[in-house]
Amino acid sequence: SQQGEEDPQALSIQEGENATMNCSYKTSINNLQWYRQNSGRGLVHLILIRSNEREKHSGRLRVTLDTSKKSSSLLITASRAADTASYFCATDARGSARQLTFGSGTQLTVLP
Amino acid sequence: GAVVSQHPSRVICKSGTSVKIECRSLDFQATTMFWYRQFPKQSLMLMATSNEGSKATYEQGVEKDKFLINHASLTLSTLTVTSAHPEDSSFYICSASGPGGETQYFGPGTRLLVL
């Protein structure tokens, strides 16, 4: 079953702007991961943040994690048209044998 | 990074036939492989977890006799959709992780269309 919700469901921005996506989850986690999926394709792993971490950066990506609120955010700075894709958060819950539970996803469209 | 392949990438079959999908880890040994299903404009739903050499663990609501999973080696897992029906049409994605691995590496997916 779906663990979490993401918002917004869809986001449309102009190239160069920043995009922020949020993810909420329900149970205690080992880590939270963000993935990207282009239409009809597999998933690409973007970044993993552990439960004892609060913020992580990778290139133009910035992820935050607030375990007290059971929420995470993904910020993409200086967006490009090629960033257009669906973005999913996934949680690795404690005791889950490394199973991932995916959020509902955010469809990001970056307009040139 | 680690690469996971799937074959075939898409398949069209008649109702009642069985379809086998292969998932391979190309450059690492995958102790655990996962199978997901994704309907259009929806998220991924975990179907089953498979460990090499043991029986797969299926999620609630997933029929193990309909979705046969074999993880015979550390680099190959197969999902067989038996007696496929139109409602089984979906995008099937596998992922693999190595020993103690936190990160799952996903295959490119297989689109199944059952007529």
Side-chain angles (χ1 to χ4, degrees):
Chain A
S1 62
Q2 289 283 39
Q3 150 113 271
E5 296 297 321
E6 290 182 55
D7 77 273
Q9 288 187 334
L11 178 62
S12 185
I13 59 174
Q14 293 290 331
E15 211 166 22
E17 294 181 337
N18 296 340
T20 300
M21 289 159 268
N22 302 295
C23 166
S24 62
Y25 57 93
K26 296 176 183 174
T27 62
S28 295
I29 61 172
N30 292 314
N31 62 64
L32 185 146
Q33 303 177 43
W34 284 90
Y35 288 85
R36 164 200 169 117
Q37 183 182 37
N38 285 70
S39 180
R41 302 289 186 90
L43 273 71
V44 174
H45 183 262
L46 295 177
I47 198 165
L48 179 153
I49 186 165
R50 294 188 177 85
S51 60
N52 61 352
E53 297 176 312
R54 292 295 166 261
E55 189 171 311
K56 207 161 184 179
H57 298 254
S58 176
R60 293 185 295 115
L61 306 180
R62 172 177 167 254
V63 168
T64 63
L65 178 64
D66 186 336
T67 53
S68 66
K69 295 181 179 177
K70 291 187 168 57
S71 67
S72 174
S73 68
L74 170 67
L75 168 68
I76 303 175
T77 60
S79 63
R80 305 166 183 167
D83 294 329
T84 295
S86 291
Y87 291 83
F88 294 93
C89 67
T91 50
D92 176 349
R94 288 184 187 162
S96 69
R98 300 298 188 192
Q99 294 170 340
L100 292 180
T101 303
F102 282 81
S104 50
T106 295
Q107 171 62 51
L108 173 66
T109 302
V110 181
L111 303 170
Chain B
V3 178
V4 175
S5 69
Q6 271 183 251
H7 177 80
S9 57
R10 58 181 65 220
V11 57
I12 301 173
C13 68
K14 292 182 179 180
S15 186
T17 59
S18 294
V19 175
K20 180 186 282 189
I21 302 170
E22 291 186 350
C23 176
R24 292 181 186 273
S25 57
L26 298 185
D27 49 5
F28 68 103
Q29 292 188 326
T31 49
T32 306
M33 286 184 167
F34 304 85
W35 286 96
Y36 297 84
R37 180 167 52 183
Q38 184 180 33
F39 291 107
K41 298 193 185 299
Q42 294 189 23
S43 189
L44 279 73
M45 299 296 292
L46 179 65
M47 299 175 66
T49 302
S50 112
N51 292 296
E52 185 263 339
S54 62
K55 290 185 179 180
T57 303
Y58 291 81
E59 293 301 297
Q60 194 171 12
V62 178
E63 300 175 56
K64 61 181 181 181
D65 294 331
K66 180 165 184 65
F67 298 99
L68 301 178
I69 291 172
N70 186 306
H71 191 164
S73 77
L74 284 172
T75 59
L76 174 63
S77 176
T78 61
L79 167 68
T80 301
V81 183
T82 61
S83 187
H85 288 95
E87 58 266 30
D88 298 324
S89 297
S90 188
F91 193 51
Y92 292 87
I93 307 176
C94 73
S95 70
S97 62
E102 295 173 304
T103 301
Q104 288 184 25
Y105 298 97
F106 283 79
T110 296
R111 187 160 302 284
L112 171 64
L113 176 61
V114 185
L115 302 176

Short mmCIF file of all heavy atoms in Angstrom, two decimals, chain B residues 1-2 7 15 20 23 28 31 47-48 53-54 56 58-59 61 72 91 95 115:
data_model
loop_
_atom_site.label_atom_id
_atom_site.label_comp_id
_atom_site.label_asym_id
_atom_site.label_seq_id
_atom_site.Cartn_x
_atom_site.Cartn_y
_atom_site.Cartn_z
N GLY B 1 27.53 3.54 -12.00
CA GLY B 1 26.60 2.93 -11.08
C GLY B 1 26.17 1.56 -11.54
O GLY B 1 26.46 1.14 -12.66
N ALA B 2 25.47 0.85 -10.67
CA ALA B 2 25.02 -0.49 -10.98
C ALA B 2 23.94 -0.47 -12.05
O ALA B 2 23.12 0.45 -12.10
CB ALA B 2 24.47 -1.13 -9.71
N HIS B 7 14.14 -7.76 -19.75
CA HIS B 7 13.82 -8.23 -21.09
C HIS B 7 12.54 -9.05 -21.04
O HIS B 7 12.38 -9.88 -20.13
CB HIS B 7 14.97 -9.10 -21.63
CG HIS B 7 14.67 -9.66 -22.98
ND1 HIS B 7 14.80 -8.94 -24.14
CD2 HIS B 7 14.20 -10.87 -23.35
CE1 HIS B 7 14.45 -9.67 -25.17
NE2 HIS B 7 14.09 -10.86 -24.72
N SER B 15 -4.90 -13.00 -24.48
CA SER B 15 -5.43 -13.40 -23.18
C SER B 15 -5.30 -14.91 -23.00
O SER B 15 -5.56 -15.68 -23.93
CB SER B 15 -6.91 -12.99 -23.10
OG SER B 15 -7.42 -13.22 -21.82
N LYS B 20 6.91 -14.34 -19.66
CA LYS B 20 8.03 -14.34 -18.73
C LYS B 20 8.86 -13.08 -18.93
O LYS B 20 9.22 -12.73 -20.06
CB LYS B 20 8.94 -15.55 -18.94
CG LYS B 20 10.14 -15.59 -17.99
CD LYS B 20 11.10 -16.72 -18.30
CE LYS B 20 10.59 -18.03 -17.78
NZ LYS B 20 11.62 -19.11 -17.90
N CYS B 23 14.87 -10.19 -15.30
CA CYS B 23 15.53 -9.05 -14.66
C CYS B 23 16.95 -9.49 -14.33
O CYS B 23 17.14 -10.49 -13.62
CB CYS B 23 14.77 -8.66 -13.40
SG CYS B 23 15.53 -7.33 -12.44
N PHE B 28 26.78 -6.48 -10.73
CA PHE B 28 26.86 -6.73 -9.29
C PHE B 28 25.98 -7.93 -8.96
O PHE B 28 25.12 -8.32 -9.73
CB PHE B 28 26.44 -5.51 -8.47
CG PHE B 28 24.98 -5.16 -8.58
CD1 PHE B 28 24.09 -5.48 -7.55
CD2 PHE B 28 24.48 -4.49 -9.69
CE1 PHE B 28 22.73 -5.15 -7.65
CE2 PHE B 28 23.13 -4.17 -9.79
CZ PHE B 28 22.26 -4.49 -8.77
N THR B 31 21.54 -9.85 -4.11
CA THR B 31 21.01 -10.81 -3.15
C THR B 31 19.49 -10.70 -3.06
O THR B 31 18.81 -11.67 -2.74
CB THR B 31 21.62 -10.59 -1.77
OG1 THR B 31 21.53 -9.20 -1.43
CG2 THR B 31 23.08 -10.99 -1.75
N MET B 47 5.13 -5.73 -5.61
CA MET B 47 4.41 -7.00 -5.76
C MET B 47 5.04 -8.08 -4.88
O MET B 47 4.34 -8.83 -4.20
CB MET B 47 4.44 -7.47 -7.21
CG MET B 47 3.79 -6.53 -8.20
SD MET B 47 4.00 -7.10 -9.88
CE MET B 47 3.03 -8.60 -9.87
N ALA B 48 6.37 -8.17 -4.96
CA ALA B 48 7.03 -9.26 -4.25
C ALA B 48 8.50 -8.96 -4.07
O ALA B 48 9.10 -8.17 -4.82
CB ALA B 48 6.86 -10.57 -5.01
N GLY B 53 17.73 -18.06 -4.16
CA GLY B 53 17.68 -19.39 -3.59
C GLY B 53 16.53 -19.66 -2.66
O GLY B 53 16.42 -20.77 -2.12
N SER B 54 15.66 -18.68 -2.46
CA SER B 54 14.52 -18.94 -1.57
C SER B 54 13.24 -18.46 -2.23
O SER B 54 13.26 -17.77 -3.24
CB SER B 54 14.72 -18.26 -0.21
OG SER B 54 14.81 -16.87 -0.37
N ALA B 56 9.89 -16.41 -3.00
CA ALA B 56 9.58 -14.99 -2.95
C ALA B 56 8.53 -14.70 -1.88
O ALA B 56 7.70 -15.55 -1.55
CB ALA B 56 9.08 -14.52 -4.31
N TYR B 58 5.39 -12.41 -1.17
CA TYR B 58 4.43 -11.62 -1.93
C TYR B 58 3.69 -10.63 -1.04
O TYR B 58 3.41 -10.92 0.12
CB TYR B 58 3.41 -12.54 -2.60
CG TYR B 58 3.99 -13.36 -3.73
CD1 TYR B 58 4.71 -14.53 -3.46
CD2 TYR B 58 3.84 -12.97 -5.05
CE1 TYR B 58 5.26 -15.27 -4.49
CE2 TYR B 58 4.38 -13.71 -6.09
CZ TYR B 58 5.09 -14.86 -5.79
OH TYR B 58 5.64 -15.59 -6.82
N GLU B 59 3.38 -9.48 -1.61
CA GLU B 59 2.60 -8.48 -0.89
C GLU B 59 1.14 -8.91 -0.85
O GLU B 59 0.67 -9.71 -1.68
CB GLU B 59 2.73 -7.11 -1.57
CG GLU B 59 4.13 -6.53 -1.47
CD GLU B 59 4.60 -6.34 -0.05
OE1 GLU B 59 3.97 -5.54 0.69
OE2 GLU B 59 5.58 -6.98 0.34
N GLY B 61 -2.53 -9.27 -1.45
CA GLY B 61 -3.34 -9.03 -2.63
C GLY B 61 -2.69 -9.47 -3.93
O GLY B 61 -3.33 -9.43 -4.99
N ALA B 72 16.88 -17.64 -9.36
CA ALA B 72 17.73 -18.81 -9.36
C ALA B 72 19.21 -18.50 -9.19
O ALA B 72 19.98 -19.37 -8.79
CB ALA B 72 17.52 -19.59 -10.66
N PHE B 91 2.85 -1.81 -16.45
CA PHE B 91 4.30 -1.61 -16.57
C PHE B 91 4.93 -2.34 -15.39
O PHE B 91 4.62 -2.03 -14.23
CB PHE B 91 4.60 -0.11 -16.53
CG PHE B 91 5.98 0.28 -16.95
CD1 PHE B 91 6.51 -0.17 -18.15
CD2 PHE B 91 6.74 1.13 -16.17
CE1 PHE B 91 7.79 0.21 -18.55
CE2 PHE B 91 8.02 1.51 -16.56
CZ PHE B 91 8.55 1.05 -17.75
N SER B 95 13.79 -4.27 -9.48
CA SER B 95 14.94 -3.58 -8.92
C SER B 95 15.80 -4.60 -8.19
O SER B 95 15.34 -5.70 -7.86
CB SER B 95 14.51 -2.46 -7.98
OG SER B 95 13.95 -3.01 -6.80
N LEU B 115 -4.17 -8.60 -24.85
CA LEU B 115 -5.33 -8.32 -25.69
C LEU B 115 -6.49 -9.27 -25.37
O LEU B 115 -6.27 -10.39 -24.93
CB LEU B 115 -4.94 -8.43 -27.17
CG LEU B 115 -3.79 -7.51 -27.60
CD1 LEU B 115 -3.43 -7.78 -29.05
CD2 LEU B 115 -4.20 -6.05 -27.41
#
